């Protein structure tokens, strides 16, 4: 189970938009589906497994009240 971090979630919501828009204009393939497999396949495979197997407290709460 992932530990929730308020600091990291706020930072991800605020700084991501600007960085993403700048990178999207500079790098032609940035943000396209499947680009992670081309750039770094080992990390993409790890992330795929991690995202399928880990869960957060919010996921558990959503399952209970669904």
């Amino acid at each position: 189970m992932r530990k929730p971090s308020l600091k990291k979630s706020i930072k991800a919501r605020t700084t991501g938009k600007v960085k993403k828009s700048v990178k999207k204009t500079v790098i032609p393939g940035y943000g396209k589906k499947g680009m992670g497999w081309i750039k770094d396949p080992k990390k993409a495979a790890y992330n795929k497994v991690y995202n399928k197997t880990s869960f957060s407290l919010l996921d558990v709460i959503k399952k209970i009240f669904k």
Side-chain angles (χ1 to χ4, degrees):
M1 188 166 125
R2 294 189 297 259
K3 290 189 288 184
S5 173
L6 186 62
K7 183 180 174 184
K8 286 182 182 180
S9 66
I10 291 170
K11 185 170 178 159
R13 288 170 189 256
T14 55
T15 60
K17 267 186 191 174
V18 177
K19 282 185 180 178
K20 191 185 287 186
S21 64
V22 169
K23 281 187 174 182
K24 205 166 185 117
T25 57
V26 175
I27 304 168
Y30 182 80
K32 300 285 191 273
K33 190 171 184 169
M35 289 303 289
W37 287 100
I38 296 166
K39 187 178 176 187
D40 191 356
K42 188 176 180 182
K43 186 175 182 181
Y46 172 83
N47 286 337
K48 179 95 173 179
V49 171
Y50 177 83
N51 289 327
K52 293 263 185 189
T53 56
S54 65
F55 57 93
S56 69
L57 186 63
L58 291 174
D59 294 335
V60 173
I61 292 170
K62 284 179 189 175
K63 288 275 186 184
I64 291 172
F65 290 108
K66 196 168 188 185

